Amino acid sequence: MPELSRRTSPFQNFAISFSVICILAGGMSLFGLGMGTGGPVVMLGTWVTVGFFTLLVGMCLADVVSAYPTSGGPYFMASKLGGARWGWVTGCLNLLGLLGAIAGIDYGAATFTGAFLQMKWNLTPTTGTTMLIFAAILLVHGLLNSAGVRVLNALNSISVWWQLGGVAAIVGALMLAPAQHRSPSFLLTFHNETGFTSPAYVVLIGSLVAGYTFCGYDASAHIAEETTNAQVSAPRGIVRSIGVSWVAGFILLAGMLLAVQDYEGTLNTQTGAAPAQIFLDVLGRTGAEILLVVVIIAMLLCGNAEVGASARMVYAFSRSRALPGWQSWRRVNERTKTPVRAVWFSVIVPFVLALPALWSVAAYGAITAINAVGMIPAYGIPVYLALRKGTAYQPGAWTLGAWRKPISVIACVYVVVITVVFCLPQTAKSFNYAGVTLAIALLFAWVTWLTRGRTAYQLTADRAAQPSESLLNESL
């Protein structure tokens, strides 16, 4: 059976996680949510706070990735540290999270594309046309990822500079435009339209802007088997992607907020996207169209990177015989050294997951909510298991050393807290399906373990999991 090709550089490893986090996707699509759940002070304050704790989780996860750098990522680590059942549950959560993320990212890109078409040519999008655009995006992502890791690496490298350049272009255009700008004191404004009277509760809900954005940094782990010097490059890719996103995202949010012309008008815009209204108010139609294209391309690059990460997870989980039809999904194309069938699995399943959007936005939201409530616990489980293992845990080349234990304790507590926050009602009149989705995912993992996992699951030893002797003395 052909193996994956080790053609990914340390920068390209960083690039895939940075592309998946994608501040231009999360920050833009959730901007309106933030404006109504606490406003500027909560958006910026929780961005700093959540970003900090995410960095701690990422550092702890990076420590474990260095010890077990494989395409399986969190599930492989959990299996090694806690046994087969831990690995099975972690794998189910991580995989469902990845597939839900693809559905959410690419459907979001389709929605923004529809908004652009309406703005440019007055073509009013329907749920049907949005689904067709969504299908076309998934098709393109499948073709690009099937072409080989070199294409994926090139696009991810472009994505880094596109996102950073896009943040500079958006903030620069909004700040230099001859329009009224808010004073810095505006960034301390509190605005609440949730229906809840408790400021503390509103702050928790407002943290979801950052919470949902800071997902997907495990992508560096999933391409570790294709990365040179993986025991060091993959951990650094995780930590650096979070750090750069943290800083650049703060600049983006602050720049957007200072450019708001009419707060209520932006919050209740007919465009369906608060950032699009800000662009229109400050730059006019042509300027708004240009910046909207910048955001859409960033979303497309993000979705493409997520498909790449998911395909590696499908490949690795199938290699462990965890998925029905595993013999097919684990196949690697001999010419491109890419798990092509796993790529198309990662394209077709998100399309099926998004089909309920044709009839119910709530049903679609319940499915894609597994993105965050599935992935964040999947990151925390290996960290917890490594902590529980104590002195028996053998770190890799990249390690936190004596700091690992106290930072891991904080990280585990944060994972529990933010997962609960993901499940809280976001308005007084709405029901949050994230908790239901998480419960179903856990039930699914347990039932499939009892019916299939106990007999079929076989953790595959991998060449990438063995640390190089020359790297053992390297550290953070």
Side-chain angles (χ1 to χ4, degrees), residues 89-103 310 313 317 349 353 367-375 437-438 440-442 444-445:
V89 172
T90 303
C92 289
L93 289 174
N94 195 204
L95 182 57
L96 289 172
L98 286 164
L99 296 172
I102 295 169
S310 175
M313 171 60 189
F317 215 32
V349 173
L353 289 177
I367 294 169
T368 56
I370 193 59
N371 172 22
V373 297
M375 294 177 80
T437 307
L438 177 59
I440 292 174
L442 291 172
F444 169 81

PDB file of all heavy atoms in Angstrom, residues 89-103 310 313 317 349 353 367-375 437-438 440-442 444-445:
ATOM      1  N   VAL A  89     -13.872   7.329  20.591  1.00  0.00           N
ATOM      2  CA  VAL A  89     -14.754   8.471  20.864  1.00  0.00           C
ATOM      3  C   VAL A  89     -14.123   9.764  20.342  1.00  0.00           C
ATOM      4  O   VAL A  89     -14.797  10.592  19.706  1.00  0.00           O
ATOM      5  CB  VAL A  89     -15.043   8.585  22.370  1.00  0.00           C
ATOM      6  CG1 VAL A  89     -15.791   9.875  22.679  1.00  0.00           C
ATOM      7  CG2 VAL A  89     -15.854   7.383  22.848  1.00  0.00           C
ATOM      8  N   THR A  90     -12.831   9.937  20.585  1.00  0.00           N
ATOM      9  CA  THR A  90     -12.152  11.139  20.110  1.00  0.00           C
ATOM     10  C   THR A  90     -12.183  11.216  18.592  1.00  0.00           C
ATOM     11  O   THR A  90     -12.415  12.284  18.011  1.00  0.00           O
ATOM     12  CB  THR A  90     -10.690  11.146  20.598  1.00  0.00           C
ATOM     13  OG1 THR A  90     -10.665  11.047  22.020  1.00  0.00           O
ATOM     14  CG2 THR A  90      -9.987  12.429  20.178  1.00  0.00           C
ATOM     15  N   GLY A  91     -11.962  10.073  17.943  1.00  0.00           N
ATOM     16  CA  GLY A  91     -11.984  10.042  16.485  1.00  0.00           C
ATOM     17  C   GLY A  91     -13.349  10.392  15.917  1.00  0.00           C
ATOM     18  O   GLY A  91     -13.453  11.144  14.932  1.00  0.00           O
ATOM     19  N   CYS A  92     -14.406   9.856  16.537  1.00  0.00           N
ATOM     20  CA  CYS A  92     -15.761  10.174  16.068  1.00  0.00           C
ATOM     21  C   CYS A  92     -16.053  11.665  16.206  1.00  0.00           C
ATOM     22  O   CYS A  92     -16.589  12.298  15.287  1.00  0.00           O
ATOM     23  CB  CYS A  92     -16.785   9.352  16.844  1.00  0.00           C
ATOM     24  SG  CYS A  92     -16.804   7.591  16.438  1.00  0.00           S
ATOM     25  N   LEU A  93     -15.695  12.241  17.363  1.00  0.00           N
ATOM     26  CA  LEU A  93     -15.921  13.670  17.569  1.00  0.00           C
ATOM     27  C   LEU A  93     -15.118  14.506  16.587  1.00  0.00           C
ATOM     28  O   LEU A  93     -15.630  15.458  15.980  1.00  0.00           O
ATOM     29  CB  LEU A  93     -15.555  14.057  19.001  1.00  0.00           C
ATOM     30  CG  LEU A  93     -16.477  13.565  20.116  1.00  0.00           C
ATOM     31  CD1 LEU A  93     -15.900  13.916  21.476  1.00  0.00           C
ATOM     32  CD2 LEU A  93     -17.883  14.160  19.965  1.00  0.00           C
ATOM     33  N   ASN A  94     -13.843  14.165  16.423  1.00  0.00           N
ATOM     34  CA  ASN A  94     -12.975  14.939  15.542  1.00  0.00           C
ATOM     35  C   ASN A  94     -13.433  14.858  14.089  1.00  0.00           C
ATOM     36  O   ASN A  94     -13.488  15.876  13.377  1.00  0.00           O
ATOM     37  CB  ASN A  94     -11.539  14.440  15.677  1.00  0.00           C
ATOM     38  CG  ASN A  94     -10.520  15.390  15.081  1.00  0.00           C
ATOM     39  OD1 ASN A  94      -9.428  14.985  14.708  1.00  0.00           O
ATOM     40  ND2 ASN A  94     -10.832  16.673  14.978  1.00  0.00           N
ATOM     41  N   LEU A  95     -13.792  13.656  13.651  1.00  0.00           N
ATOM     42  CA  LEU A  95     -14.210  13.490  12.265  1.00  0.00           C
ATOM     43  C   LEU A  95     -15.534  14.199  11.995  1.00  0.00           C
ATOM     44  O   LEU A  95     -15.683  14.898  10.978  1.00  0.00           O
ATOM     45  CB  LEU A  95     -14.327  12.004  11.925  1.00  0.00           C
ATOM     46  CG  LEU A  95     -14.723  11.691  10.482  1.00  0.00           C
ATOM     47  CD1 LEU A  95     -13.760  12.318   9.494  1.00  0.00           C
ATOM     48  CD2 LEU A  95     -14.808  10.178  10.266  1.00  0.00           C
ATOM     49  N   LEU A  96     -16.496  14.028  12.897  1.00  0.00           N
ATOM     50  CA  LEU A  96     -17.770  14.728  12.723  1.00  0.00           C
ATOM     51  C   LEU A  96     -17.561  16.235  12.754  1.00  0.00           C
ATOM     52  O   LEU A  96     -18.216  16.984  12.013  1.00  0.00           O
ATOM     53  CB  LEU A  96     -18.754  14.294  13.810  1.00  0.00           C
ATOM     54  CG  LEU A  96     -19.298  12.865  13.684  1.00  0.00           C
ATOM     55  CD1 LEU A  96     -20.095  12.488  14.926  1.00  0.00           C
ATOM     56  CD2 LEU A  96     -20.151  12.715  12.435  1.00  0.00           C
ATOM     57  N   GLY A  97     -16.645  16.692  13.613  1.00  0.00           N
ATOM     58  CA  GLY A  97     -16.339  18.112  13.658  1.00  0.00           C
ATOM     59  C   GLY A  97     -15.752  18.617  12.361  1.00  0.00           C
ATOM     60  O   GLY A  97     -16.118  19.689  11.857  1.00  0.00           O
ATOM     61  N   LEU A  98     -14.829  17.861  11.781  1.00  0.00           N
ATOM     62  CA  LEU A  98     -14.216  18.249  10.517  1.00  0.00           C
ATOM     63  C   LEU A  98     -15.241  18.288   9.386  1.00  0.00           C
ATOM     64  O   LEU A  98     -15.278  19.238   8.591  1.00  0.00           O
ATOM     65  CB  LEU A  98     -13.093  17.275  10.164  1.00  0.00           C
ATOM     66  CG  LEU A  98     -11.794  17.401  10.978  1.00  0.00           C
ATOM     67  CD1 LEU A  98     -10.932  16.158  10.797  1.00  0.00           C
ATOM     68  CD2 LEU A  98     -11.032  18.648  10.575  1.00  0.00           C
ATOM     69  N   LEU A  99     -16.081  17.268   9.315  1.00  0.00           N
ATOM     70  CA  LEU A  99     -17.095  17.219   8.257  1.00  0.00           C
ATOM     71  C   LEU A  99     -18.128  18.335   8.439  1.00  0.00           C
ATOM     72  O   LEU A  99     -18.568  18.962   7.463  1.00  0.00           O
ATOM     73  CB  LEU A  99     -17.770  15.852   8.253  1.00  0.00           C
ATOM     74  CG  LEU A  99     -16.854  14.664   7.917  1.00  0.00           C
ATOM     75  CD1 LEU A  99     -17.590  13.345   8.144  1.00  0.00           C
ATOM     76  CD2 LEU A  99     -16.346  14.766   6.484  1.00  0.00           C
ATOM     77  N   GLY A 100     -18.521  18.598   9.697  1.00  0.00           N
ATOM     78  CA  GLY A 100     -19.434  19.703   9.956  1.00  0.00           C
ATOM     79  C   GLY A 100     -18.811  21.033   9.624  1.00  0.00           C
ATOM     80  O   GLY A 100     -19.493  21.957   9.138  1.00  0.00           O
ATOM     81  N   ALA A 101     -17.499  21.164   9.858  1.00  0.00           N
ATOM     82  CA  ALA A 101     -16.809  22.412   9.534  1.00  0.00           C
ATOM     83  C   ALA A 101     -16.804  22.662   8.037  1.00  0.00           C
ATOM     84  O   ALA A 101     -17.012  23.796   7.578  1.00  0.00           O
ATOM     85  CB  ALA A 101     -15.377  22.364  10.064  1.00  0.00           C
ATOM     86  N   ILE A 102     -16.565  21.616   7.241  1.00  0.00           N
ATOM     87  CA  ILE A 102     -16.590  21.767   5.783  1.00  0.00           C
ATOM     88  C   ILE A 102     -17.964  22.218   5.320  1.00  0.00           C
ATOM     89  O   ILE A 102     -18.100  23.125   4.495  1.00  0.00           O
ATOM     90  CB  ILE A 102     -16.192  20.449   5.100  1.00  0.00           C
ATOM     91  CG1 ILE A 102     -14.744  20.103   5.419  1.00  0.00           C
ATOM     92  CG2 ILE A 102     -16.393  20.532   3.592  1.00  0.00           C
ATOM     93  CD1 ILE A 102     -14.340  18.706   5.013  1.00  0.00           C
ATOM     94  N   ALA A 103     -19.006  21.582   5.877  1.00  0.00           N
ATOM     95  CA  ALA A 103     -20.369  21.971   5.519  1.00  0.00           C
ATOM     96  C   ALA A 103     -20.625  23.435   5.866  1.00  0.00           C
ATOM     97  O   ALA A 103     -21.179  24.195   5.055  1.00  0.00           O
ATOM     98  CB  ALA A 103     -21.372  21.071   6.239  1.00  0.00           C
ATOM     99  N   SER A 310      -9.482  16.999   6.589  1.00  0.00           N
ATOM    100  CA  SER A 310     -10.477  15.953   6.805  1.00  0.00           C
ATOM    101  C   SER A 310     -10.113  14.675   6.059  1.00  0.00           C
ATOM    102  O   SER A 310     -10.279  13.567   6.584  1.00  0.00           O
ATOM    103  CB  SER A 310     -11.855  16.444   6.355  1.00  0.00           C
ATOM    104  OG  SER A 310     -12.821  15.421   6.441  1.00  0.00           O
ATOM    105  N   MET A 313      -7.716  12.718   7.965  1.00  0.00           N
ATOM    106  CA  MET A 313      -8.355  12.094   9.117  1.00  0.00           C
ATOM    107  C   MET A 313      -9.139  10.850   8.681  1.00  0.00           C
ATOM    108  O   MET A 313      -9.078   9.791   9.333  1.00  0.00           O
ATOM    109  CB  MET A 313      -9.283  13.116   9.786  1.00  0.00           C
ATOM    110  CG  MET A 313     -10.177  12.559  10.878  1.00  0.00           C
ATOM    111  SD  MET A 313      -9.235  11.845  12.246  1.00  0.00           S
ATOM    112  CE  MET A 313     -10.562  11.070  13.169  1.00  0.00           C
ATOM    113  N   PHE A 317      -8.248   7.194  10.041  1.00  0.00           N
ATOM    114  CA  PHE A 317      -9.276   6.464  10.786  1.00  0.00           C
ATOM    115  C   PHE A 317      -9.634   5.167  10.057  1.00  0.00           C
ATOM    116  O   PHE A 317      -9.925   4.147  10.689  1.00  0.00           O
ATOM    117  CB  PHE A 317     -10.504   7.355  10.949  1.00  0.00           C
ATOM    118  CG  PHE A 317     -11.231   7.169  12.253  1.00  0.00           C
ATOM    119  CD1 PHE A 317     -10.562   6.827  13.419  1.00  0.00           C
ATOM    120  CD2 PHE A 317     -12.614   7.362  12.326  1.00  0.00           C
ATOM    121  CE1 PHE A 317     -11.232   6.672  14.626  1.00  0.00           C
ATOM    122  CE2 PHE A 317     -13.303   7.210  13.526  1.00  0.00           C
ATOM    123  CZ  PHE A 317     -12.606   6.860  14.670  1.00  0.00           C
ATOM    124  N   VAL A 349     -19.964  13.726   2.042  1.00  0.00           N
ATOM    125  CA  VAL A 349     -20.662  13.703   3.325  1.00  0.00           C
ATOM    126  C   VAL A 349     -21.091  15.100   3.771  1.00  0.00           C
ATOM    127  O   VAL A 349     -22.241  15.280   4.196  1.00  0.00           O
ATOM    128  CB  VAL A 349     -19.803  13.021   4.407  1.00  0.00           C
ATOM    129  CG1 VAL A 349     -20.470  13.146   5.776  1.00  0.00           C
ATOM    130  CG2 VAL A 349     -19.593  11.552   4.060  1.00  0.00           C
ATOM    131  N   LEU A 353     -24.830  16.387   4.670  1.00  0.00           N
ATOM    132  CA  LEU A 353     -25.134  17.031   5.953  1.00  0.00           C
ATOM    133  C   LEU A 353     -25.865  18.352   5.765  1.00  0.00           C
ATOM    134  O   LEU A 353     -26.693  18.735   6.596  1.00  0.00           O
ATOM    135  CB  LEU A 353     -23.839  17.278   6.735  1.00  0.00           C
ATOM    136  CG  LEU A 353     -23.125  16.057   7.316  1.00  0.00           C
ATOM    137  CD1 LEU A 353     -21.835  16.482   7.991  1.00  0.00           C
ATOM    138  CD2 LEU A 353     -24.025  15.315   8.302  1.00  0.00           C
ATOM    139  N   ILE A 367     -26.797  20.456  12.669  1.00  0.00           N
ATOM    140  CA  ILE A 367     -25.803  19.544  12.107  1.00  0.00           C
ATOM    141  C   ILE A 367     -24.414  20.178  12.114  1.00  0.00           C
ATOM    142  O   ILE A 367     -23.427  19.583  12.544  1.00  0.00           O
ATOM    143  CB  ILE A 367     -26.208  19.132  10.679  1.00  0.00           C
ATOM    144  CG1 ILE A 367     -27.489  18.295  10.727  1.00  0.00           C
ATOM    145  CG2 ILE A 367     -25.082  18.352  10.001  1.00  0.00           C
ATOM    146  CD1 ILE A 367     -28.124  18.053   9.384  1.00  0.00           C
ATOM    147  N   THR A 368     -24.320  21.396  11.633  1.00  0.00           N
ATOM    148  CA  THR A 368     -23.012  22.043  11.531  1.00  0.00           C
ATOM    149  C   THR A 368     -22.485  22.508  12.886  1.00  0.00           C
ATOM    150  O   THR A 368     -21.296  22.815  13.003  1.00  0.00           O
ATOM    151  CB  THR A 368     -23.079  23.241  10.571  1.00  0.00           C
ATOM    152  OG1 THR A 368     -24.101  24.154  11.018  1.00  0.00           O
ATOM    153  CG2 THR A 368     -23.404  22.787   9.157  1.00  0.00           C
ATOM    154  N   ALA A 369     -23.344  22.547  13.916  1.00  0.00           N
ATOM    155  CA  ALA A 369     -22.876  22.926  15.254  1.00  0.00           C
ATOM    156  C   ALA A 369     -21.849  21.946  15.790  1.00  0.00           C
ATOM    157  O   ALA A 369     -21.057  22.279  16.671  1.00  0.00           O
ATOM    158  CB  ALA A 369     -24.058  23.022  16.221  1.00  0.00           C
ATOM    159  N   ILE A 370     -21.827  20.730  15.232  1.00  0.00           N
ATOM    160  CA  ILE A 370     -20.867  19.733  15.689  1.00  0.00           C
ATOM    161  C   ILE A 370     -19.442  20.170  15.386  1.00  0.00           C
ATOM    162  O   ILE A 370     -18.482  19.627  15.944  1.00  0.00           O
ATOM    163  CB  ILE A 370     -21.169  18.359  15.043  1.00  0.00           C
ATOM    164  CG1 ILE A 370     -20.406  17.230  15.740  1.00  0.00           C
ATOM    165  CG2 ILE A 370     -20.829  18.387  13.558  1.00  0.00           C
ATOM    166  CD1 ILE A 370     -20.703  17.085  17.188  1.00  0.00           C
ATOM    167  N   ASN A 371     -19.272  21.146  14.496  1.00  0.00           N
ATOM    168  CA  ASN A 371     -17.945  21.696  14.213  1.00  0.00           C
ATOM    169  C   ASN A 371     -17.221  22.039  15.505  1.00  0.00           C
ATOM    170  O   ASN A 371     -16.161  21.501  15.818  1.00  0.00           O
ATOM    171  CB  ASN A 371     -18.087  22.935  13.322  1.00  0.00           C
ATOM    172  CG  ASN A 371     -16.774  23.677  13.136  1.00  0.00           C
ATOM    173  OD1 ASN A 371     -15.688  23.111  13.315  1.00  0.00           O
ATOM    174  ND2 ASN A 371     -16.865  24.946  12.793  1.00  0.00           N
ATOM    175  N   ALA A 372     -17.811  22.951  16.272  1.00  0.00           N
ATOM    176  CA  ALA A 372     -17.149  23.415  17.495  1.00  0.00           C
ATOM    177  C   ALA A 372     -17.311  22.439  18.648  1.00  0.00           C
ATOM    178  O   ALA A 372     -16.338  22.111  19.332  1.00  0.00           O
ATOM    179  CB  ALA A 372     -17.692  24.787  17.891  1.00  0.00           C
ATOM    180  N   VAL A 373     -18.527  21.943  18.885  1.00  0.00           N
ATOM    181  CA  VAL A 373     -18.743  21.079  20.054  1.00  0.00           C
ATOM    182  C   VAL A 373     -18.136  19.700  19.852  1.00  0.00           C
ATOM    183  O   VAL A 373     -17.996  18.932  20.811  1.00  0.00           O
ATOM    184  CB  VAL A 373     -20.247  20.955  20.400  1.00  0.00           C
ATOM    185  CG1 VAL A 373     -20.826  22.297  20.784  1.00  0.00           C
ATOM    186  CG2 VAL A 373     -21.029  20.331  19.252  1.00  0.00           C
ATOM    187  N   GLY A 374     -17.752  19.373  18.629  1.00  0.00           N
ATOM    188  CA  GLY A 374     -17.046  18.129  18.395  1.00  0.00           C
ATOM    189  C   GLY A 374     -15.547  18.305  18.433  1.00  0.00           C
ATOM    190  O   GLY A 374     -14.830  17.503  19.040  1.00  0.00           O
ATOM    191  N   MET A 375     -15.059  19.356  17.806  1.00  0.00           N
ATOM    192  CA  MET A 375     -13.612  19.517  17.667  1.00  0.00           C
ATOM    193  C   MET A 375     -12.929  19.955  18.957  1.00  0.00           C
ATOM    194  O   MET A 375     -11.846  19.444  19.298  1.00  0.00           O
ATOM    195  CB  MET A 375     -13.312  20.507  16.535  1.00  0.00           C
ATOM    196  CG  MET A 375     -13.725  19.982  15.176  1.00  0.00           C
ATOM    197  SD  MET A 375     -13.463  21.152  13.835  1.00  0.00           S
ATOM    198  CE  MET A 375     -11.706  20.947  13.558  1.00  0.00           C
ATOM    199  N   THR A 437     -26.772  18.247  19.562  1.00  0.00           N
ATOM    200  CA  THR A 437     -25.864  17.678  18.574  1.00  0.00           C
ATOM    201  C   THR A 437     -24.710  16.953  19.245  1.00  0.00           C
ATOM    202  O   THR A 437     -24.308  15.861  18.826  1.00  0.00           O
ATOM    203  CB  THR A 437     -25.320  18.789  17.659  1.00  0.00           C
ATOM    204  OG1 THR A 437     -26.412  19.539  17.123  1.00  0.00           O
ATOM    205  CG2 THR A 437     -24.520  18.207  16.518  1.00  0.00           C
ATOM    206  N   LEU A 438     -24.151  17.560  20.286  1.00  0.00           N
ATOM    207  CA  LEU A 438     -23.050  16.924  21.017  1.00  0.00           C
ATOM    208  C   LEU A 438     -23.514  15.614  21.660  1.00  0.00           C
ATOM    209  O   LEU A 438     -22.802  14.599  21.612  1.00  0.00           O
ATOM    210  CB  LEU A 438     -22.511  17.874  22.081  1.00  0.00           C
ATOM    211  CG  LEU A 438     -21.392  17.322  22.979  1.00  0.00           C
ATOM    212  CD1 LEU A 438     -20.191  16.902  22.148  1.00  0.00           C
ATOM    213  CD2 LEU A 438     -20.988  18.353  24.024  1.00  0.00           C
ATOM    214  N   ILE A 440     -25.949  13.666  20.695  1.00  0.00           N
ATOM    215  CA  ILE A 440     -26.148  12.672  19.633  1.00  0.00           C
ATOM    216  C   ILE A 440     -24.809  12.128  19.157  1.00  0.00           C
ATOM    217  O   ILE A 440     -24.654  10.930  18.904  1.00  0.00           O
ATOM    218  CB  ILE A 440     -26.940  13.293  18.464  1.00  0.00           C
ATOM    219  CG1 ILE A 440     -28.381  13.601  18.907  1.00  0.00           C
ATOM    220  CG2 ILE A 440     -26.944  12.360  17.255  1.00  0.00           C
ATOM    221  CD1 ILE A 440     -29.196  14.341  17.874  1.00  0.00           C
ATOM    222  N   ALA A 441     -23.805  13.030  19.032  1.00  0.00           N
ATOM    223  CA  ALA A 441     -22.473  12.602  18.586  1.00  0.00           C
ATOM    224  C   ALA A 441     -21.853  11.622  19.577  1.00  0.00           C
ATOM    225  O   ALA A 441     -21.269  10.606  19.183  1.00  0.00           O
ATOM    226  CB  ALA A 441     -21.569  13.819  18.397  1.00  0.00           C
ATOM    227  N   LEU A 442     -21.985  11.911  20.866  1.00  0.00           N
ATOM    228  CA  LEU A 442     -21.440  11.018  21.882  1.00  0.00           C
ATOM    229  C   LEU A 442     -22.179   9.680  21.896  1.00  0.00           C
ATOM    230  O   LEU A 442     -21.565   8.616  22.058  1.00  0.00           O
ATOM    231  CB  LEU A 442     -21.513  11.683  23.258  1.00  0.00           C
ATOM    232  CG  LEU A 442     -20.566  12.877  23.472  1.00  0.00           C
ATOM    233  CD1 LEU A 442     -20.874  13.563  24.793  1.00  0.00           C
ATOM    234  CD2 LEU A 442     -19.110  12.432  23.413  1.00  0.00           C
ATOM    235  N   PHE A 444     -23.719   8.376  19.323  1.00  0.00           N
ATOM    236  CA  PHE A 444     -23.297   7.706  18.094  1.00  0.00           C
ATOM    237  C   PHE A 444     -21.951   7.013  18.305  1.00  0.00           C
ATOM    238  O   PHE A 444     -21.758   5.856  17.904  1.00  0.00           O
ATOM    239  CB  PHE A 444     -23.190   8.726  16.964  1.00  0.00           C
ATOM    240  CG  PHE A 444     -22.524   8.208  15.718  1.00  0.00           C
ATOM    241  CD1 PHE A 444     -23.238   7.453  14.803  1.00  0.00           C
ATOM    242  CD2 PHE A 444     -21.180   8.478  15.451  1.00  0.00           C
ATOM    243  CE1 PHE A 444     -22.632   6.962  13.656  1.00  0.00           C
ATOM    244  CE2 PHE A 444     -20.561   7.998  14.318  1.00  0.00           C
ATOM    245  CZ  PHE A 444     -21.290   7.241  13.408  1.00  0.00           C
ATOM    246  N   ALA A 445     -21.006   7.721  18.959  1.00  0.00           N
ATOM    247  CA  ALA A 445     -19.679   7.152  19.200  1.00  0.00           C
ATOM    248  C   ALA A 445     -19.777   5.911  20.079  1.00  0.00           C
ATOM    249  O   ALA A 445     -19.111   4.895  19.821  1.00  0.00           O
ATOM    250  CB  ALA A 445     -18.771   8.202  19.844  1.00  0.00           C
TER     251      ALA A 445
END
